[in-house]
Amino acid sequence: MSDPESNRNLDNNEDPIPAGIVEELPKLSFGPHFEMHPVVFPAGALIVLGLVLLAMLMPGEDLRSNFETVRDWVGTRFGWLYVASMTGFLLLAVRLAFSRYGSIKLGNDDDVPEFSRLTWFTMLFSAGMGIGLVFWSVAEPIYHFQSTPPGFATGLDPSRLSMAVTIFHWGLHPWALYAVVGLALGYFGFRKGMPLGFRSVLYPIFGRRVWGPLGDAVDTLAIVATLTGVATSLGLGAKQVNAGFAFLFDTPVNVTVQVILIACITGIATVSVVLGLGKGIRRLSELNMALAGILMLMVIFASGVVVFLGSSIENTGAYLQQLPFNSFRTGALSEEGSAWLNSWTVFYWAWWISWSPFVGMFIARVSRGRTIREFIIGTLLVPTAVGILWLTAFGSTTLRQHSDHASQPAAITQTGDTTAASMAESGEGLPSYTVAVTDDSGELIESEPGVYETTQEHLTAVEYLSAPIVNEQGTERIPQLPTVLYALLAGIFDSRLMVILSAGIATTCIILFFVTSSDSASMVIDIIASGGNPDPPVGTRLFWAISEGLVAAILLMVGGLEALQAASITVALPFTIILILSCIGLMRSLRMERPKKR
């Protein structure tokens, strides 16, 4: 039930939250560099520590199986809620952007933005899903290309459909979620002068109860969701950085190397924490986006500018064509469709929701002084457009390389050019890989104990992702998912120098995305854990930055990363309810606003 005073004000058409209200939340102070909320800080830290201890004490397979069982149950029972909520966030964001509330500022009417638009965009994109796009831009289109998602009309071009589905998962929906969450936090934090935390956005519904145990529980849940999500991504991303170093320097691919990488990345993040938001995250984000832009241009010029432009338009059209169908698809009428949705769309929506405390809070923190219209359009359209261009550059290039190679022999044979046909059939022009030989059941054959029987094959990136790739000695398998990006780069550049250069830039981008994500997440967690202070002290930010690295390293060593990933997705269920209530609270407060006429 809401606060009676709040209801009475609403009935009288008065703003239930007078501008400038500041609730003094209790704090524990151990000096100017270490201040915390006495409940939220220790509760969040203890819960995360408990999850880590659980992962260490319980056998990895049992832990993973239990969490994945819960995850699958949540997906089956509440997948419809994720689908409906994400589409609802998109519709709400569009409505607010073009409503009379669009001129309202996130802050006082005379506030001006702290950062330029370019810097603002680079920061929100780097902290948002930049690293995910690098990781999945090649792999996801391949998966949908190789196995057509069920429920779509037959006869659709597989490449066009795979790109439409991939863009759907990375396009308007996740950015609308981040926009709505960031808008609610920024509005209540900067315009209403309330603590910058999730308890504040629930004030119009629950009144002053949010300053008690209810608000403590909400903020603690936000901390757990943020830290587990970032720690999981740090661990998974360390595998891709390890793959990049293996490609460039023949570095061994193992847990020891990955733990060392996490330690190094965490060390760089702590330096960025000390430098602060303006010098640390800002400069790294600008550098990262510049390098990512160079890498994308290299791929575009290697694959053909004209083809890229045409593919971008076609992919955008395919995405918009499938957008209404995908936005309301729950798989209720098909077991096969339901299983696919739980594996992909529901998985993504839950994952984005579990990340929304982190990304939404960070976007709010760097957006003070912007109007609601500018904030939503900038957060929604610009990253989606860049995401389409990025996915086209890498995803469409991957599929086109495979299709051109697959169709080349037949086309050449018709012309009678047997020399060219034999070159195409042999895979000349494609990189060569060491592939393990398999038996009829798909098991790898060993030529001697611990050594696989191998052969050399020329493969496209599509073929590479499903082939049993091993090292040159044939002693261990190479994980294809983290390395498929490098397989694409090796296949589209003729010059070895360009391959090394592009792989080096890609690896550097991944590292920088990790640093900015870790630094941004530690700042967000500390804002919540310090009671909503938008400029939390350095000491506690260092604590959370180091904690993220330690959690990721420990879970990587005990094999619990997949379990923690499943746990963070499960956390998305209660947080979905909080986000829905946040939207209700935001609209209730906005209705009492009297926007300045322009």
Side-chain angles (χ1 to χ4, degrees), residues 445-525:
I445 300 174
E446 292 187 352
S447 57
E448 57 183 272
V451 180
Y452 299 114
E453 183 178 340
T454 63
T455 181
Q456 291 294 317
E457 296 184 17
H458 296 273
L459 304 174
T460 64
V462 173
E463 296 165 334
Y464 174 91
L465 189 58
S466 57
I469 308 297
V470 296
N471 60 4
E472 293 183 0
Q473 297 75 29
T475 55
E476 63 180 27
R477 292 197 62 168
I478 296 176
Q480 291 102 302
L481 181 58
T483 56
V484 68
L485 169 65
Y486 300 99
L488 170 67
L489 297 176
I492 63 175
F493 293 109
D494 296 329
S495 167
R496 177 64 178 171
L497 176 62
M498 291 298 293
V499 173
I500 296 298
L501 179 61
S502 61
I505 294 176
T507 304
T508 303
C509 282
I510 296 167
I511 293 173
L512 290 178
F513 274 128
F514 276 135
V515 173
T516 53
S517 293
S518 177
D519 190 4
S520 304
S522 64
M523 183 189 72
V524 166
I525 294 174

Side-chain angles (χ1 to χ4, degrees), residues 412-429:
I412 295 175
T413 302
Q414 292 176 2
T415 64
D417 190 344
T418 55
T419 302
S422 62
M423 289 174 58
E425 290 171 351
S426 66
E428 189 167 331

Side-chain angles (χ1 to χ4, degrees), residues 3-300:
D3 192 315
E5 182 67 22
S6 296
N7 284 336
R8 184 161 58 84
N9 288 339
L10 281 171
D11 293 338
N12 294 332
N13 201 33
E14 298 177 2
D15 192 340
I17 310 171
I21 181 175
V22 178
E23 289 286 344
E24 292 294 336
L25 295 180
K27 291 183 180 179
L28 287 179
S29 179
F30 298 91
H33 300 300
F34 208 94
E35 294 182 347
M36 68 176 79
H37 188 281
V39 177
V40 176
F41 191 110
L46 288 174
I47 290 174
V48 172
L49 176 62
L51 288 173
V52 172
L53 291 176
L54 181 64
M56 295 178 66
L57 297 176
M58 184 179 292
E61 287 299 325
D62 293 344
L63 182 70
R64 187 182 304 112
S65 176
N66 290 335
F67 272 120
E68 289 178 351
T69 298
V70 175
R71 180 199 64 191
D72 294 340
W73 182 85
V74 170
T76 302
R77 298 295 189 277
F78 297 98
W80 62 270
L81 178 62
Y82 290 136
V83 171
S85 300
M86 291 292 286
T87 300
F89 296 142
L90 176 58
L91 295 176
L92 177 61
V94 173
R95 177 195 171 187
L96 288 176
F98 297 100
S99 70
R100 66 186 180 92
Y101 309 121
S103 59
I104 297 174
K105 278 192 173 183
L106 301 183
N108 300 322
D109 290 336
D110 57 351
D111 283 350
V112 295
E114 182 179 358
F115 305 99
S116 68
R117 285 181 177 170
L118 180 60
T119 298
W120 174 58
F121 166 69
T122 58
M123 293 171 71
L124 69 90
F125 196 81
S126 293
M129 57 179 60
I131 192 168
L133 280 174
V134 175
F135 191 91
W136 286 105
S137 58
V138 176
E140 186 174 348
I142 294 177
Y143 283 127
H144 300 322
F145 177 79
Q146 291 179 326
S147 179
T148 302
F152 290 88
T154 58
L156 292 176
D157 180 73
S159 298
R160 179 183 174 92
L161 177 58
S162 65
M163 290 304 304
V165 172
T166 301
I167 294 172
F168 174 71
H169 290 149
W170 297 87
L172 292 172
H173 279 74
W175 285 107
L177 166 67
Y178 297 152
V180 169
V181 175
L183 173 62
L185 290 167
Y187 174 80
F188 287 105
F190 300 136
R191 189 164 185 86
K192 297 301 180 182
M194 304 178 77
L196 194 58
F198 279 88
R199 69 175 72 214
S200 297
V201 302
L202 301 180
Y203 186 92
I205 300 175
F206 299 103
R208 295 184 180 275
R209 291 182 180 85
V210 299
W211 311 127
L214 174 64
D216 294 342
V218 170
D219 283 348
T220 300
L221 181 63
I223 287 178
V224 173
T226 300
L227 195 142
T228 54
V230 173
T232 303
S233 294
L234 279 174
L236 294 175
K239 296 182 178 182
Q240 191 176 30
V241 176
N242 192 180
F245 284 171
F247 183 86
L248 292 167
F249 311 115
D250 292 326
T251 304
V253 179
N254 55 50
V255 173
T256 302
V257 174
Q258 291 158 14
V259 170
I260 293 173
L261 288 172
I262 290 176
C264 294
I265 292 170
T266 301
I268 299 173
T270 56
V271 174
S272 180
V273 165
V274 174
L275 291 175
L277 180 62
K279 294 181 180 179
I281 300 177
R282 174 183 177 179
R283 298 304 182 193
L284 287 175
S285 297
E286 291 174 342
L287 173 62
N288 204 10
M289 291 304 294
L291 289 175
I294 292 173
L295 178 64
M296 185 173 73
L297 289 175
M298 291 174 66
V299 173
I300 290 172

Side-chain angles (χ1 to χ4, degrees), residues 320-582:
L320 295 177
Q321 181 184 22
Q322 297 293 332
L323 182 60
F325 171 73
N326 287 325
S327 296
F328 296 94
R329 186 183 182 210
T330 64
L333 303 179
S334 167
E335 290 187 7
E336 184 183 11
S338 177
W340 183 89
L341 281 168
N342 286 337
S343 298
W344 286 100
T345 303
V346 172
F347 169 83
Y348 268 123
W349 287 177
W351 188 244
W352 298 142
I353 290 171
S354 70
W355 266 67
S356 63
F358 156 43
V359 182
M361 176 72 78
F362 181 76
I363 293 176
R365 172 60 183 83
V366 299
S367 301
R368 181 167 189 162
R370 301 193 183 276
T371 65
I372 289 179
R373 182 172 295 109
E374 180 186 15
F375 175 85
I376 292 179
I377 292 176
T379 306
L380 189 60
L381 296 184
V382 176
T384 298
V386 173
I388 292 174
L389 295 178
W390 181 276
L391 290 169
T392 298
F394 289 86
S396 291
T397 298
T398 301
L399 301 181
R400 188 167 56 252
Q401 178 204 50
H402 179 74
S403 299
D404 289 347
H405 175 68
S407 62
Q408 192 175 10
I412 295 175
T413 302
Q414 292 176 2
T415 64
D417 190 344
T418 55
T419 302
S422 62
M423 289 174 58
E425 290 171 351
S426 66
E428 189 167 331
L430 294 174
S432 176
Y433 300 97
T434 304
V435 181
V437 178
T438 59
D439 57 24
D440 294 337
S441 63
E443 295 294 327
L444 275 59
I445 300 174
E446 292 187 352
S447 57
E448 57 183 272
V451 180
Y452 299 114
E453 183 178 340
T454 63
T455 181
Q456 291 294 317
E457 296 184 17
H458 296 273
L459 304 174
T460 64
V462 173
E463 296 165 334
Y464 174 91
L465 189 58
S466 57
I469 308 297
V470 296
N471 60 4
E472 293 183 0
Q473 297 75 29
T475 55
E476 63 180 27
R477 292 197 62 168
I478 296 176
Q480 291 102 302
L481 181 58
T483 56
V484 68
L485 169 65
Y486 300 99
L488 170 67
L489 297 176
I492 63 175
F493 293 109
D494 296 329
S495 167
R496 177 64 178 171
L497 176 62
M498 291 298 293
V499 173
I500 296 298
L501 179 61
S502 61
I505 294 176
T507 304
T508 303
C509 282
I510 296 167
I511 293 173
L512 290 178
F513 274 128
F514 276 135
V515 173
T516 53
S517 293
S518 177
D519 190 4
S520 304
S522 64
M523 183 189 72
V524 166
I525 294 174
D526 203 23
I527 288 175
I528 301 172
S530 63
N533 180 8
D535 295 300
V538 174
T540 48
R541 285 180 62 186
L542 286 173
F543 169 81
W544 291 113
I546 295 171
S547 296
E548 291 161 8
L550 287 174
V551 170
I554 292 172
L555 289 169
L556 191 64
M557 289 187 290
V558 301
L561 277 171
E562 291 82 359
L564 188 53
Q565 184 182 35
S568 62
I569 292 172
T570 305
V571 170
L573 179 59
F575 215 82
T576 300
I577 307 301
I578 293 175
L579 294 182
I580 293 173
L581 293 176
S582 300

